[in-house]
Amino acid sequence: MPTETLPQTQASALETTILDLQGMHCASCVSRIERSLKKVVGVSDASVNLATNRARVVFDPALAAPPVLIAAVEKAGYGATPAPKIRPVEGKSGPDFALLNLIGAAVLTLPVLTLSMAWMMRPSWVDWILAALSALVVFGFGRQFFEGAWSALRHGGAATMDTLVALGTGISFFFSLAELLWDRHPQVYFETAATIVTLILLGRWLEARAKRRASDTIQSLIALSPKTARLVTENGGEIDVPLDSLNPGDLLRVRPGEKVAADGIVTDGASAVDEALLTGESLPVEKAAGDKVIGGTLNGSGTLVYRVTASGDQTMLASMVRLVEEAQGSKAPVQKLADTISAFFVPAVLGVALLTFLVWYFALHASLVAALTPAVAVLVIACPCALGLATPTAIMVGVGRGAGLGILIKNGEALERAHKITRIVFDKTGTLTEGRPALTDVVPLGSLDRDTVLRLAAAAERGSEHPLGQAIAAAADREGLAGTPDSFHSHAGGGVEAVVEGRRILVGTTTLLLNSKITISETAYAHITRLETEGKTAMLVAVDSTIVGVLAVADTLRPGAGAAVDRLRKMGMDVALLTGDARRVAEAVARTVGIEDVQAGVKPGEKAAAIQAWQRGGAVAMVGDGVNDAPALAQADLGVAMGRASDVAMEAADVTLLRADLNGVADAILLSRRTLKIIHQNLFWAFLFNVIGIPLAAFGLLNPMLAALAMAFSSVSVVTNSLRLKSAKLS
């Protein structure tokens, strides 16, 4: 069962579990299950998704447990089982029982319709044949409606879509049967009952097919993983082993044309690996010793040997599947309206149907048949299914489309918020730039020579995760100037402080050194100015409170960064640069990509404050990749983390871009706009369908069979409209 501990910022004692649900058919079912789960002591939140047939429950494990949650679902009249950690690939074989049920009902309904319409003046024995065939359809192939209605009545007395169908078909059948038994010239409507059941079965089958298409992204991701891995044994041999037997540290070999079985680090060989289905990168990525490989990606023409770093449900592929599933199962705020209405919808329809019968029979003095017909039509036409599917199917397809583009969206709320964004704020290092800077200058400013300055600075940076620090350490390694610190401390947004060979070393900005009471000479300032004017990031090196040198690191822009910024501006976005780097360097980068609004020399805490200030003018998205970006990502209305971002940044972000292309930012916003447009269309048509259909039925202008046909296809139309997102142009 996928159970996860929530981040400390929420509630460390709470856990989340996912349940697979059985027996749901409409928005009323969703409301009933949610209410039942929320009544369980220890449950803080429960969200049920009609499109995925899953419930996400947040609970206190000291007060509740999955078996208790399952019992609560069963108490509401539905089935529930723990969801697997990774959903298995749906098989192609096996009977489609829904289709077989539909075919059986259609085969028996056809002669009922034919005899009813072609033989108006028929002997009574023909009516008995119609009764028998209709009974098989209504209570045999359509028994699910009566079972669902009875279960709802038995477990609390609430009414659902099954209640409406069971009442509509049951009234038609039993009224006809009573006419046949006691009237010499019976008026029977067996064909109405049978046709309603068949058409609704058709609608549910089509709806199920459409919902399966909506989950194609999940299935395509799951199918990426190979069934076995080629394990390299201690004696150099190879054996094929199942994936679930792999452990970190195992050595695997992948040959040309095979799929990588698990995440790992290449130890031998060279090849180009196609990562398109996972990251959206269009071109194969060259891999050699030391490079990371991702499970599920396709190896090219070379052979690679790699050491496993993550396998099973810990791989990036498994994490993607979980993230996409959770996002597809989440609710967007716009769905609250539909949820509120659905809670009262079915009881209201029952009231309208009863009122329709009473008006026709007592006020208009219609016959019993004439009064029952519009009442049955009201019961049948009402469709909370479409209302319940309007939002979740669009979220499901939208999140799936994003995953296919290398855009991981955390939840439906984030997808909805993205369309409100008016300002995009970029971090510089690792976001607008490649994040792989290289050391370009070492300027000694005292008694120490160049190599000593570099060696001490690199030793101090050895524990840093910042790209600039790693560039300094890498340059020293290449020159054989290795060293390690005795102690290390990072000053977020300022630099590092360490003890190396008994000396106190500071490497960082002028602000860091001034705050440390270190005097900066005019010569040092002159070198910093010169280097920053060249677009380089300059850092001071101090040993025992004396400045001994200046280091400069240069980073290259991401390919297409300027075009991505220009695209955002054409979309009506204000674009800004927010960085802890020096102003001269930041402005040089900003000029290159076309950004005018620049805030530089900003510390992590100040970044969040800057985002907060911008938010007074509208919704703000922050795009970053480092630990120091996490507060700003969390503060922003939409946090966007780059694919190579730190775990902290990805946790704080709402959207993660798996590909290096910054166009993913615009794609995410456009996808949000398209998704919200589809949701609004779905809700509009779902509401309009009932607003128009129910009065038409009540006024006797809609035959119950036509009502059944319209109801069946209303849900299908909502899901089909959502599927348009799979091919919608993001431009």
Side-chain angles (χ1 to χ4, degrees), residues 334-665:
V334 71
Q335 193 172 341
K336 291 179 180 178
L337 175 62
D339 287 346
T340 301
I341 291 175
S342 66
F344 306 98
F345 185 84
V346 174
V349 169
L350 291 174
V352 171
L354 178 60
L355 180 62
T356 298
F357 172 76
L358 295 175
V359 169
W360 277 91
Y361 192 70
F362 292 104
L364 300 179
H365 307 292
S367 66
L368 184 60
V369 173
L372 279 175
T373 300
V376 169
V378 168
L379 291 171
V380 174
I381 190 66
C383 185
C385 301
L387 197 61
L389 290 168
T391 299
T393 52
I395 294 292
M396 191 175 179
V397 178
V399 168
R401 175 74 189 282
L405 295 171
I407 303 169
L408 288 186
I409 300 167
K410 184 174 286 187
N411 51 44
E413 185 178 356
L415 186 62
E416 179 175 342
R417 281 202 309 268
H419 89 286
K420 301 176 182 177
I421 298 301
T422 59
R423 178 181 291 272
I424 308 291
V425 179
F426 286 99
D427 173 50
K428 183 182 76 68
T429 305
T431 303
L432 283 177
T433 64
E434 289 281 9
R436 293 192 293 267
L439 183 69
T440 58
D441 298 83
V442 180
V443 183
L445 294 177
S447 59
L448 300 182
D449 61 20
R450 174 195 178 278
D451 287 356
T452 303
V453 171
L454 176 57
R455 179 172 58 80
L456 293 174
E461 293 281 9
R462 188 68 62 182
S464 175
E465 293 185 356
H466 196 283
L468 300 181
Q470 292 175 350
I472 295 170
D477 289 343
R478 286 193 298 270
E479 297 184 28
L481 302 173
T484 55
D486 298 320
S487 65
F488 171 84
H489 177 69
S490 175
H491 294 269
V496 299
E497 180 178 352
V499 175
V500 179
E501 300 173 4
R503 298 176 174 184
R504 177 173 176 252
I505 311 295
L506 283 172
V507 183
T509 63
T510 56
T511 302
L512 174 65
L513 271 68
L514 290 173
N515 289 341
S516 301
K517 310 301 182 185
I518 297 175
T519 302
I520 303 174
S521 66
E522 293 296 329
T523 303
Y525 273 122
H527 283 296
I528 291 172
T529 301
R530 174 181 60 81
L531 293 168
E532 289 180 350
T533 302
E534 296 172 1
K536 300 173 182 177
T537 299
M539 292 163 283
L540 293 167
V541 182
V543 177
D544 294 332
S545 300
T546 301
I547 294 177
V548 298
V550 180
L551 305 181
V553 174
D555 195 2
T556 57
L557 282 173
R558 287 187 184 273
V565 170
D566 184 58
R567 183 184 178 197
L568 288 168
R569 291 166 69 93
K570 289 179 179 178
M571 288 168 55
M573 300 287 165
D574 295 322
V575 184
L577 177 62
L578 183 65
T579 178
D581 217 333
R583 173 158 292 277
R584 290 189 186 89
V585 177
E587 288 179 344
V589 170
R591 282 194 302 271
T592 305
V593 298
I595 295 177
E596 297 178 359
D597 192 352
V598 179
Q599 290 196 26
V602 184
K603 294 180 180 179
E606 295 171 342
K607 283 188 175 183
I611 295 293
Q612 194 170 21
W614 272 317
Q615 285 174 319
R616 297 189 190 104
V620 177
M622 172 70 192
V623 188
D625 79 313
V627 173
N628 61 331
D629 295 322
L633 290 169
Q635 174 62 43
D637 297 280
L638 186 75
V640 182
M642 302 302 293
R644 288 195 294 264
S646 67
D647 291 341
V648 176
M650 292 179 72
E651 180 65 31
D654 302 296
V655 176
T656 300
L657 304 182
L658 297 179
R659 51 184 172 142
D661 188 358
L662 285 172
N663 274 299
V665 179

Side-chain angles (χ1 to χ4, degrees), residues 101-119 126 129-130 133-134 136-138 141 190-199 705:
N101 208 39
L102 169 62
I103 292 173
V107 167
L108 295 181
T109 300
L110 185 60
V112 172
L113 270 174
T114 303
L115 289 173
S116 298
M117 295 179 180
W119 201 345
V126 174
I129 292 176
L130 296 179
L133 294 176
S134 297
L136 290 174
V137 174
V138 174
F141 297 107
F190 293 118
E191 76 281 2
T192 299
T195 304
I196 288 173
V197 167
T198 301
L199 289 175
M705 288 187 286

Side-chain angles (χ1 to χ4, degrees), residues 223-254:
L224 289 177
S225 184
K227 296 189 182 336
T228 60
R230 184 169 286 109
L231 179 69
V232 178
T233 60
E234 293 182 359
N235 60 9
E238 298 176 5
I239 56 172
D240 288 341
V241 296
L243 294 190
D244 57 11
S245 68
L246 295 178
N247 295 299
D250 287 345
L251 208 59
L252 304 180
R253 186 187 304 276
V254 57

